[in-house]
Amino acid sequence: MRDFIFHNPTKIVFGKGKVKQIGEEIKNFGIKKVLLLYGRGSIKKNGVYDDVTNSLKENGIDWIEVSGVKPNPVLSKVHEAIAVARKENVEAILAVGGGSVIDSAKTVAAGFYYEGDIWDAFIGKYRVEKSLPIFVVLTISATGSEMNGGAVITNEKTNQKYSFWSFTSYPKVSIIDPTVQFSLPREQTVYGGVDAIVHVLEYYFDGAKGRILMDRIMESIIKTIMESVEKLIEDPKDYDARSNLAWSATLALNGLTSAGSFGGDWSSHAIEHSLSALYDIPHGAGLAIITPAWMRYVMEEDKEKFERFAKEIFKKTSAVEGIDAFKSWLKSVGAPTSLKDAGIPESDIEKITDNAAMRSPFGKLKKLYREDIKEILKLAI
Ligand code: NZQ
Ligand code: ZN
């Protein structure tokens, strides 16, 4: 177990019908005007928009809206929202949506105070130390962004999908009402579950030893997500499955699973971000393609841990059997597990490698250079 600091300042309000509490939570901070940021309309169909705006009205909070944040959110939308936030002099950002909306909100909250282009935060030219307060109504469990300080944005001019992290980007309050996720399309539920599993795996397989408690917690999170996703495919309104998936996804990337680690490997994520930057595929789908290939490529670096994964998650004995079982499970829930499944031709491997290699070397369990990235992509054909 390595030394660590655990400090998570986000208040979580979890449960049925809790969306209506958002106005009061914001009012408690003495905030009178917010920028309401959301996506491409699902919140208008499932009633979340009405619940949020009614709650704002009841609590005397004024708002201005920016909508149309797309999955794999882009920098131009962030620029647009920063301009509105400044012009309207808002005091906080309220994100109503999933990771894409929340990450955009975090970037707007930081960009509000930064004179230059906030893209600088993503390329290491600016360290975010000040942000507007951020509030969240979560509508899809996947990224953990509702309880962490990270944001991932695509610069559509350069095809770079990069991230920044700041302690000032943790939401003040996040409302997680699993019932609002009843309206999710099957594939979004699956991709969300896959993303959360891979967040755990990034910490599980980073080479740190002696994390007895954390290993057991991480295995429980993975098993709970798998079971919940299977149940939700059968019944999207199974509340226990929704709520267990939701809390698992939050815990997967809120600092808990990082305790005592090397900080996570993050290679699967780094390579996946090139897939979503270049092909605009959902993040969870990209991870389902890359992660098993990465596992195959690096398993010799910590055979014991891969064998443990095989045994604890799939009741198998060898590392290879465990990885194959994981891949089979991904297929069984309808996730793509190869570039071909996602319609990406083998001839594009060079292009994807070039994109991912811009940030190489990366990885903790095995440091990956350009050639390694290419080999992993070949394993994902
Ligand atoms: O556009 P809307 O209407 O919001 O529709 C969304 C979108 O089409 C829809 N949706 C969300 N809630 C719904 C719903 N549809 C029906 N009913 C609901 N209740 O689902 C689609 C996907 O939404 P999105 O926000 O993109 O999903 P997710 O939460 O998976 O976020 C993915 C983004 O987060 C980044 C990813 O790279 C990707 O860009 N990540 C952020 C991280 C972080 N901040 O910590 C870490 C992750 O590893 C990840 O990289
Ligand atoms: Zn992820």
Side-chain angles (χ1 to χ4, degrees):
M1 185 90 157
R2 294 169 51 79
D3 298 350
F4 66 91
I5 294 172
F6 178 77
H7 183 175
N8 193 310
T10 302
K11 173 180 175 182
I12 297 291
V13 178
F14 190 103
K16 285 180 188 164
K18 298 294 183 201
V19 172
K20 295 182 173 120
Q21 209 168 305
I22 189 64
E24 193 185 328
E25 294 294 340
I26 296 173
K27 191 167 82 179
N28 288 341
F29 283 76
I31 288 164
K32 298 237 162 42
K33 185 169 184 182
V34 300
L35 173 77
L36 169 56
L37 191 64
Y38 58 99
R40 299 198 292 192
S42 63
I43 65 164
K44 294 228 166 144
K45 287 190 203 132
N46 62 12
V48 172
Y49 176 87
D50 290 340
D51 283 348
V52 167
T53 51
N54 286 335
S55 176
L56 293 177
K57 273 181 222 155
E58 279 160 21
N59 287 281
I61 295 158
D62 193 9
W63 77 91
I64 182 89
E65 295 183 15
V66 173
S67 63
V69 174
K70 66 179 273 309
N72 297 320
V74 290
L75 187 61
S76 56
K77 183 52 98 180
V78 166
H79 287 155
E80 175 195 329
I82 291 172
V84 175
R86 286 184 181 153
K87 181 165 167 277
E88 297 286 335
N89 225 356
V90 301
E91 295 160 79
I93 314 289
L94 169 56
V96 182
S100 297
V101 174
I102 305 169
D103 290 2
S104 300
K106 289 173 177 177
T107 313
V108 175
F112 183 85
Y113 289 113
Y114 183 58
E115 305 256 306
D117 184 344
I118 194 58
W119 183 247
D120 288 350
F122 294 84
I123 53 173
K125 270 177 75 183
Y126 168 59
R127 193 184 148 89
V128 176
E129 277 169 350
K130 197 174 179 193
S131 299
L132 282 170
I134 298 152
F135 295 85
V136 170
V137 172
L138 185 71
T139 66
I140 171 172
S141 287
T143 63
S145 190
E146 67 278 9
M147 202 180 183
N148 70 39
V152 190
I153 295 288
T154 300
N155 182 332
E156 65 271 48
K157 286 196 182 140
T158 58
N159 279 337
Q160 291 166 306
K161 186 176 185 187
Y162 287 0
S163 61
F164 80 86
W165 183 95
S166 165
F167 196 68
T168 67
S169 301
Y170 280 77
K172 297 284 180 221
V173 181
S174 285
I175 295 195
I176 306 175
D177 176 348
T179 65
V180 311
Q181 301 193 31
F182 288 172
S183 57
L184 276 171
R186 171 196 156 124
E187 70 274 12
Q188 293 297 346
T189 299
V190 169
Y191 297 154
V194 172
D195 186 21
I197 289 173
V198 178
H199 292 156
V200 175
L201 295 181
E202 297 283 14
Y203 292 115
Y204 191 82
F205 289 123
D206 84 345
K209 302 285 179 202
R211 302 174 74 211
I212 301 161
L213 171 66
M214 296 319 304
D215 282 345
R216 289 180 178 148
I217 289 178
M218 290 189 284
E219 287 152 4
S220 294
I221 293 176
I222 294 170
K223 287 191 262 190
T224 306
I225 295 173
M226 289 170 59
E227 274 171 32
S228 303
V229 167
E230 288 163 18
K231 284 184 184 157
L232 290 167
I233 288 172
E234 296 301 317
D235 176 10
K237 295 189 176 165
D238 179 334
Y239 183 77
D240 285 334
R242 277 280 171 223
S243 51
N244 279 285
L245 171 60
W247 191 226
S248 299
T250 302
L251 297 183
L253 195 54
N254 75 341
L256 171 73
T257 51
S258 156
S261 73
F262 280 111
D265 183 89
W266 298 110
S267 299
S268 297
H269 269 74
I271 302 174
E272 191 296 311
H273 283 166
S274 291
L275 291 189
S276 37
L278 293 168
Y279 305 98
D280 207 9
I281 64 170
H283 174 59
L287 288 173
I289 296 167
I290 299 298
T291 310
W294 172 81
M295 292 166 96
R296 268 313 256 269
Y297 192 70
V298 302
M299 67 184 188
E300 296 298 336
E301 306 293 320
D302 196 351
K303 205 64 177 284
E304 214 182 300
K305 196 62 180 280
F306 277 92
E307 283 165 2
R308 180 184 167 123
F309 172 79
K311 179 165 169 269
E312 296 297 330
I313 309 294
F314 294 106
K315 298 191 172 63
K316 302 279 183 196
T317 34
S318 76
V320 172
E321 282 174 324
I323 298 165
D324 286 349
F326 180 46
K327 200 166 168 177
S328 301
W329 181 80
L330 291 167
K331 272 192 212 249
S332 75
V333 293
T337 54
S338 65
L339 294 170
K340 198 162 142 233
D341 286 349
I344 300 170
E346 194 180 335
S347 53
D348 279 13
I349 283 184
E350 203 68 37
K351 181 169 94 176
I352 307 165
T353 305
D354 284 343
N355 188 289
M358 282 195 273
R359 299 233 104 180
S360 68
F362 46 69
K364 286 271 162 54
L365 191 54
K366 183 175 169 61
K367 214 177 208 188
L368 303 181
Y369 294 86
R370 195 181 189 289
E371 280 314 302
D372 301 301
I373 298 167
K374 193 168 164 184
E375 290 306 313
I376 289 169
L377 288 165
K378 282 195 201 156
L379 288 172
I381 296 168

